[in-house]
Short mmCIF file of all heavy atoms in Angstrom, two decimals:
data_model
loop_
_atom_site.label_atom_id
_atom_site.label_comp_id
_atom_site.label_asym_id
_atom_site.label_seq_id
_atom_site.Cartn_x
_atom_site.Cartn_y
_atom_site.Cartn_z
N ASP B 4 2.98 10.62 -4.95
CA ASP B 4 3.32 11.34 -3.72
C ASP B 4 2.09 11.55 -2.84
O ASP B 4 2.19 11.54 -1.63
CB ASP B 4 4.04 12.66 -4.02
CG ASP B 4 3.21 13.60 -4.88
OD1 ASP B 4 2.30 13.11 -5.56
OD2 ASP B 4 3.49 14.81 -4.88
N ARG B 5 0.92 11.67 -3.45
CA ARG B 5 -0.31 11.80 -2.63
C ARG B 5 -0.53 10.53 -1.84
O ARG B 5 -0.87 10.54 -0.67
CB ARG B 5 -1.55 12.01 -3.51
CG ARG B 5 -1.91 13.34 -4.04
CD ARG B 5 -2.10 14.56 -3.24
NE ARG B 5 -2.35 14.63 -1.83
CZ ARG B 5 -1.97 15.68 -1.09
NH1 ARG B 5 -1.34 16.69 -1.62
NH2 ARG B 5 -2.25 15.72 0.18
N GLN B 6 -0.37 9.39 -2.54
CA GLN B 6 -0.54 8.09 -1.89
C GLN B 6 0.40 7.98 -0.69
O GLN B 6 0.00 7.58 0.40
CB GLN B 6 -0.24 7.00 -2.93
CG GLN B 6 -0.27 5.59 -2.40
CD GLN B 6 -1.63 4.94 -2.59
OE1 GLN B 6 -2.44 5.41 -3.37
NE2 GLN B 6 -1.90 3.89 -1.85
N ALA B 7 1.66 8.40 -0.90
CA ALA B 7 2.64 8.33 0.19
C ALA B 7 2.23 9.27 1.34
O ALA B 7 2.21 8.87 2.50
CB ALA B 7 4.02 8.71 -0.33
N LEU B 8 1.85 10.50 1.00
CA LEU B 8 1.47 11.47 2.04
C LEU B 8 0.25 10.97 2.82
O LEU B 8 0.15 11.17 4.03
CB LEU B 8 1.15 12.83 1.39
CG LEU B 8 2.35 13.61 0.85
CD1 LEU B 8 1.89 14.73 -0.08
CD2 LEU B 8 3.18 14.20 2.00
N ASN B 9 -0.67 10.31 2.11
CA ASN B 9 -1.89 9.84 2.76
C ASN B 9 -1.61 8.66 3.69
O ASN B 9 -2.19 8.55 4.77
CB ASN B 9 -2.94 9.48 1.72
CG ASN B 9 -3.49 10.74 1.04
OD1 ASN B 9 -3.35 11.84 1.58
ND2 ASN B 9 -4.09 10.60 -0.12
N ARG B 10 -0.69 7.79 3.27
CA ARG B 10 -0.28 6.71 4.17
C ARG B 10 0.43 7.30 5.39
O ARG B 10 0.31 6.82 6.51
CB ARG B 10 0.70 5.76 3.46
CG ARG B 10 0.00 4.86 2.46
CD ARG B 10 0.98 3.88 1.85
NE ARG B 10 0.29 3.05 0.87
CZ ARG B 10 0.80 1.96 0.32
NH1 ARG B 10 2.01 1.58 0.66
NH2 ARG B 10 0.11 1.26 -0.55
N GLN B 11 1.20 8.37 5.16
CA GLN B 11 1.97 8.98 6.25
C GLN B 11 1.09 9.70 7.26
O GLN B 11 1.39 9.72 8.46
CB GLN B 11 3.05 9.90 5.67
CG GLN B 11 4.17 9.08 5.02
CD GLN B 11 5.07 9.89 4.10
OE1 GLN B 11 4.66 10.93 3.59
NE2 GLN B 11 6.28 9.40 3.89
N LEU B 12 -0.04 10.29 6.79
CA LEU B 12 -0.95 10.90 7.77
C LEU B 12 -1.45 9.81 8.72
O LEU B 12 -1.52 10.02 9.94
CB LEU B 12 -2.14 11.59 7.09
CG LEU B 12 -3.22 12.12 8.06
CD1 LEU B 12 -2.64 13.11 9.06
CD2 LEU B 12 -4.39 12.76 7.31
N ALA B 13 -1.77 8.62 8.18
CA ALA B 13 -2.21 7.52 9.05
C ALA B 13 -1.12 7.15 10.05
O ALA B 13 -1.41 6.84 11.20
CB ALA B 13 -2.61 6.32 8.20
N GLN B 14 0.15 7.22 9.61
CA GLN B 14 1.25 6.93 10.54
C GLN B 14 1.24 7.89 11.73
O GLN B 14 1.57 7.51 12.84
CB GLN B 14 2.60 7.01 9.82
CG GLN B 14 2.90 5.80 8.93
CD GLN B 14 4.19 5.99 8.14
OE1 GLN B 14 4.16 6.42 7.00
NE2 GLN B 14 5.31 5.66 8.74
N MET B 15 0.86 9.14 11.46
CA MET B 15 0.84 10.15 12.53
C MET B 15 -0.31 9.89 13.52
O MET B 15 -0.31 10.41 14.63
CB MET B 15 0.69 11.56 11.94
CG MET B 15 1.86 11.99 11.10
SD MET B 15 3.41 11.85 12.01
CE MET B 15 4.51 11.30 10.72
N LEU B 16 -1.31 9.12 13.09
CA LEU B 16 -2.46 8.85 13.97
C LEU B 16 -2.20 7.65 14.89
O LEU B 16 -2.95 7.41 15.84
CB LEU B 16 -3.71 8.57 13.13
CG LEU B 16 -4.14 9.70 12.19
CD1 LEU B 16 -5.29 9.23 11.29
CD2 LEU B 16 -4.57 10.93 12.98
N LYS B 17 -1.12 6.91 14.60
CA LYS B 17 -0.84 5.69 15.37
C LYS B 17 -0.77 5.97 16.86
O LYS B 17 -0.39 7.03 17.29
CB LYS B 17 0.50 5.08 14.92
CG LYS B 17 0.41 4.33 13.60
CD LYS B 17 1.70 3.58 13.32
CE LYS B 17 2.87 4.52 13.22
NZ LYS B 17 4.13 3.81 12.93
N GLY B 18 -1.13 4.94 17.62
CA GLY B 18 -1.10 5.08 19.07
C GLY B 18 -2.17 6.03 19.58
O GLY B 18 -2.13 6.49 20.71
N GLY B 19 -3.15 6.32 18.71
CA GLY B 19 -4.17 7.29 19.08
C GLY B 19 -5.57 6.70 19.01
O GLY B 19 -5.77 5.56 18.59
N VAL B 20 -6.54 7.52 19.45
CA VAL B 20 -7.95 7.11 19.46
C VAL B 20 -8.75 8.07 18.58
O VAL B 20 -8.65 9.28 18.72
CB VAL B 20 -8.51 7.14 20.90
CG1 VAL B 20 -9.97 6.69 20.91
CG2 VAL B 20 -7.68 6.28 21.83
N ILE B 21 -9.50 7.50 17.64
CA ILE B 21 -10.35 8.29 16.75
C ILE B 21 -11.79 8.11 17.22
O ILE B 21 -12.26 6.98 17.33
CB ILE B 21 -10.16 7.83 15.29
CG1 ILE B 21 -8.69 8.01 14.88
CG2 ILE B 21 -11.10 8.62 14.36
CD1 ILE B 21 -8.31 7.32 13.59
N MET B 22 -12.44 9.23 17.53
CA MET B 22 -13.76 9.13 18.18
C MET B 22 -14.89 9.62 17.27
O MET B 22 -14.77 10.64 16.62
CB MET B 22 -13.77 9.97 19.47
CG MET B 22 -12.68 9.55 20.46
SD MET B 22 -12.74 10.55 21.98
CE MET B 22 -11.18 10.07 22.74
N ASP B 23 -16.00 8.89 17.29
CA ASP B 23 -17.22 9.31 16.57
C ASP B 23 -17.85 10.49 17.30
O ASP B 23 -18.05 10.42 18.52
CB ASP B 23 -18.25 8.18 16.56
CG ASP B 23 -17.97 7.16 15.47
OD1 ASP B 23 -16.97 7.30 14.76
OD2 ASP B 23 -18.77 6.20 15.36
N VAL B 24 -18.18 11.55 16.55
CA VAL B 24 -18.87 12.69 17.17
C VAL B 24 -19.99 13.15 16.25
O VAL B 24 -19.90 13.01 15.03
CB VAL B 24 -17.91 13.87 17.45
CG1 VAL B 24 -16.84 13.48 18.45
CG2 VAL B 24 -17.25 14.37 16.16
N THR B 25 -21.05 13.69 16.85
CA THR B 25 -22.18 14.12 16.03
C THR B 25 -22.41 15.63 16.10
O THR B 25 -23.22 16.16 15.35
CB THR B 25 -23.48 13.41 16.48
OG1 THR B 25 -23.68 13.71 17.87
CG2 THR B 25 -23.37 11.91 16.32
#
Side-chain angles (χ1 to χ4, degrees):
Chain B
D4 59 339
R5 278 305 341 151
Q6 176 93 17
L8 288 165
N9 290 341
R10 286 184 181 191
Q11 288 164 337
L12 173 58
Q14 283 175 265
M15 295 305 143
L16 301 173
K17 283 189 299 180
V20 181
I21 301 167
M22 303 181 191
D23 279 1
V24 297
T25 58

